[in-house]
Amino acid sequence: MSKFQTLRVTEICRETPESVSILLKPVSGESFSFLAGQFLTLLAKIDGEDVRRSYSLCSSPSEGVLRVAVKEVPGGKFSTFCNRMLVVGDTLESLPPDGRFTRDFDDSVKNHLAIAAGSGITPILSMVKDVLASESSSTFTLIYGNKTVADTIFKKELDALKEENSERFNLHYVYSREQVEDSLFGRINKTNTNSFINSTYKDTNFNAAYLCGPEE
């Protein structure tokens, strides 16, 4: 049976007004190995109560660090704690990385497609970075939906990845409450998804696809 291990908070970055990314380091000095897309189950004592929640890793295995993103949700005890009370130097308990939502590692997979919305970008970002770092002949196409630019978690990091990998990383933003140049207005739905697949990428054969976000 897996046991909890202690992780120390070494950095907290405000990603959006409602979300933070948290860099964690095992106190024991041991490294956690994981696959792109997996999650950590974290445990904290909040108001005298043991509370545990699972959060996807947004770092890639090649980075050699553990980083999660937490979006504050109304009434969310753990997410509110991470966004408002957690500070560098604090510790959290964690089970080893787990989860089956991982990228395809088949050598024949050369064109990856991901559709993400909101905080669903977290495991997808790990996959994007992993593919770009380890598969020089592969491409990754991401369609990412949010309400506004300000709500877009990891926008700066994604834009930087696009600039560094312009030939292999295709990035498309979709905004439902803001008109933004070079971005699609509306929600990610069947109509605009088909437009991407059947028009923009009509000559691309996607070998693997990943979907992560709110059920809608």
Side-chain angles (χ1 to χ4, degrees):
M1 183 176 179
S2 297
K3 296 182 179 179
F4 280 94
Q5 298 184 46
T6 304
L7 303 179
R8 188 172 303 282
V9 177
T10 60
E11 181 181 85
I12 300 175
C13 294
R14 175 60 58 183
E15 300 292 343
T16 71
E18 297 179 340
S19 65
V20 293
S21 63
I22 304 166
L23 195 64
L24 299 162
K25 184 177 181 179
V27 170
S28 65
E30 297 180 7
S31 61
F32 276 31
S33 61
F34 65 94
L35 299 175
Q38 290 191 309
F39 62 84
L40 293 179
T41 296
L42 301 176
L43 171 68
K45 188 171 287 294
I46 305 173
D47 296 331
E49 177 188 357
D50 284 342
V51 182
R52 67 172 74 182
R53 295 290 186 274
S54 296
Y55 293 101
S56 296
L57 287 151
C58 53
S59 51
S60 71
S62 62
E63 291 177 290
V65 298
L66 300 173
R67 185 178 169 217
V68 298
V70 181
K71 182 177 180 179
E72 185 174 346
V73 297
K77 183 171 287 190
F78 203 103
S79 66
T80 299
F81 168 76
C82 288
N83 273 269
R84 302 189 187 187
M85 290 169 274
L86 193 68
V87 296
V88 172
D90 285 350
T91 59
L92 298 170
E93 300 298 308
S94 176
L95 290 175
D98 198 4
R100 295 180 293 174
F101 182 63
T102 60
R103 75 173 185 83
D104 200 314
F105 290 91
D106 191 317
D107 290 339
S108 66
V109 174
K110 296 303 179 186
N111 296 310
H112 301 258
L113 169 68
I115 300 173
S119 58
I121 189 60
T122 308
I124 299 297
L125 177 60
S126 178
M127 296 180 190
V128 170
K129 292 190 286 189
D130 195 38
V131 168
L132 294 177
S134 62
E135 298 182 8
S136 60
S137 62
S138 295
T139 69
F140 207 113
T141 298
L142 170 62
I143 301 170
Y144 181 23
N146 286 278
K147 295 176 183 177
T148 67
V149 171
D151 295 315
T152 306
I153 305 173
F154 301 126
K155 187 176 189 304
K156 288 184 178 179
E157 189 167 358
L158 287 166
D159 288 344
L161 284 170
K162 171 61 180 174
E163 187 173 347
E164 296 166 6
N165 303 273
S166 59
E167 298 299 317
R168 297 196 298 126
F169 182 36
N170 306 306
L171 176 60
H172 302 279
Y173 293 112
V174 181
Y175 296 110
S176 62
R177 296 187 183 177
E178 184 177 22
Q179 294 275 6
V180 181
E181 187 177 1
D182 297 326
S183 300
L184 190 67
F185 179 73
R187 293 183 177 273
I188 295 178
N189 55 29
K190 183 177 180 179
T191 299
N192 57 43
T193 301
N194 280 340
S195 177
F196 280 118
I197 303 304
N198 298 325
S199 180
T200 307
Y201 295 101
K202 64 181 179 180
D203 297 322
T204 301
N205 177 30
F206 289 109
N207 311 110
Y210 319 97
L211 179 68
C212 192
E215 284 190 37
E216 292 180 16

